[in-house]
Amino acid sequence: MASTEARRECETEGCSEDAKLQCPTCIKLGIQGSYFCSQECFKGSWVSHKLLHKKAKDDKNQNESKNCVEKDINTDPWPGYRYTGKLHPHYPLTPMRLVPGDIQRPDYADHPRGISESEQFLKGTSQIKILCPEDIEGMRVVCELAREVLDLAAELVRVGVTTEEIDHAVHLACIARNCYPSPLNYYNFPKSCCTSVNEVICHGIPDRRPLEEGDILNVDITVYHNGFHGDLNETFYIGEVDEETKKLVHTTYECLMQSIDSVKPGVRYRELGNIIQKHAQANGFSVVRSYCGHGIHRLFHTAPNVPHYAKNKAVGVMKPGHVFTIEPMICEGGWQDETWPDGWTAVTRDGKRSAQFEHTLLVTETGCEILTRRLEDNGRAHFLNQM
């Protein structure tokens, strides 16, 4: 028993003597109180007192399993969930990262549920905003910054790196450019970018799984700067990949670029899906139907909706000043998807691989400007240098 100088009353029921001794186990466990007047009183209370030790140990173990990120812990957070493929989440996640208060934030950044009130106000409308010259310049600036962040992330992509490490670098790169990472807290999304591995179609949450030889990884970056969002993504090879995977990734990129070639005033948005699906099917692949491209400017997601599959019902005709994304998700097997219990991670239902590429585009008088175009290597995607 450890001694103490404080004058306290014995905690044994029915005893009111001054307590001079404290339980040593309680001291180690950080339990407040636990003072007794004598060894006899302590022994007499042992049956009930030891329950405090058990509860404290259980609470400590539970907290460590939830919060420990230093140890190499790979847990399955959803016991009983049947995964469609080999990929599993590697939890626990690190806490949501902070953004300095002097960086301009979108309206959802501090909302407890991450709701964008400005997007909700326009939800359901099919009216497509025509940007003024000042807004177009704002979009050029933010898309250039988003491209810089993705290029930085590309330098980190290799075997053994975790998507959590990539997310951390993306977060710091955003802050260094006075940008808010748009995914962060968007409807409570917990990270600063999306990282989608193998059978993950989109919206993968960065975690502690090291990238493995033969994986593919999509990194999706959106940044918010001076009131505007800029959005793009690319798929990368991790080490050596098989020929079928190379064909999938290359075909997905071609689907994006062929659809971009058709963008000009007067083209219906629904025509993009016809172009994409024709090329994907010609190469033996399918097109995801649950997720689509979107309008983007001061709002992260707005009109128009841009489906990537054929014979869709998209509303709208392209006009100069429209800004939107095309981001086809192409699958090795079927196009059907399901979502992990985290509410975000979309995966192929058959567990086969999916790839994606994305650009933000401005419709001009004669065609389009790729606002998120890579400045190096004649604008080519990074994976083309990995082949």
Side-chain angles (χ1 to χ4, degrees), residues 17 21-22 48 51 101 121 150 181 307 322 376 384:
E17 295 292 325
L21 303 174
Q22 187 179 14
S48 59
L51 297 177
F121 181 75
L150 180 61
H322 286 183
E376 294 78 26
L384 292 168

Side-chain angles (χ1 to χ4, degrees), residues 68-122:
C68 177
V69 296
E70 298 300 327
K71 298 178 182 178
D72 188 19
I73 300 174
N74 298 332
T75 60
D76 181 353
W78 316 301
Y81 175 70
R82 185 176 180 179
Y83 296 90
T84 64
K86 295 180 180 179
L87 189 74
H88 285 223
H90 282 45
Y91 274 41
L93 300 177
T94 54
M96 191 177 288
R97 304 188 194 282
L98 301 178
V99 176
D102 60 343
I103 291 180
Q104 186 178 359
R105 311 158 83 80
D107 63 350
Y108 56 82
D110 299 310
H111 192 284
R113 289 180 290 158
I115 293 174
S116 172
E117 299 289 356
S118 54
E119 287 187 7
Q120 290 295 319
F121 181 75
L122 293 175

Side-chain angles (χ1 to χ4, degrees), residues 125-199:
T125 181
S126 59
Q127 183 174 356
I128 304 169
K129 183 176 181 179
I130 296 176
L131 272 60
C132 66
E134 292 79 10
D135 286 356
I136 290 173
E137 185 56 32
M139 286 300 299
R140 287 196 177 105
V141 171
V142 73
C143 287
E144 182 176 335
L145 292 169
R147 165 50 70 179
E148 289 179 9
V149 174
L150 180 61
D151 289 348
L152 181 145
E155 296 177 7
L156 302 177
V157 174
R158 60 183 178 274
V159 174
V161 173
T162 68
T163 51
E164 163 63 30
E165 290 171 321
I166 293 172
D167 179 77
H168 190 193
V170 165
H171 186 86
L172 294 177
C174 290
I175 291 172
R177 289 161 177 77
N178 201 35
C179 295
Y180 183 92
S182 300
L184 189 65
N185 200 47
Y186 183 70
Y187 293 90
N188 289 152
F189 188 82
K191 296 294 180 177
S192 297
C193 66
C194 299
T195 53
S196 301
V197 179
N198 296 342
E199 67 265 27

Side-chain angles (χ1 to χ4, degrees), residues 197-208:
V197 179
N198 296 342
E199 67 265 27
V200 179
I201 295 169
C202 61
H203 302 158
I205 298 175
D207 65 15
R208 304 175 62 226

Side-chain angles (χ1 to χ4, degrees), residues 216-271:
I216 56 173
L217 167 71
N218 179 274
V219 180
D220 195 335
I221 301 293
T222 313
V223 305
Y224 180 78
H225 179 79
N226 199 27
F228 296 93
H229 297 271
D231 192 2
L232 76 162
N233 73 55
E234 291 191 19
T235 297
F236 302 88
Y237 300 141
I238 310 302
E240 292 295 324
V241 301
D242 59 54
E243 291 303 316
E244 184 67 13
T245 295
K246 290 179 181 178
K247 182 181 178 183
L248 170 68
V249 173
H250 204 280
T251 299
T252 305
Y253 182 64
E254 290 173 338
C255 285
L256 172 64
M257 300 313 294
Q258 288 183 20
S259 62
I260 288 175
D261 287 343
S262 72
V263 173
K264 62 182 179 181
V267 173
R268 296 182 182 275
Y269 282 100
R270 63 190 180 201
E271 288 301 317

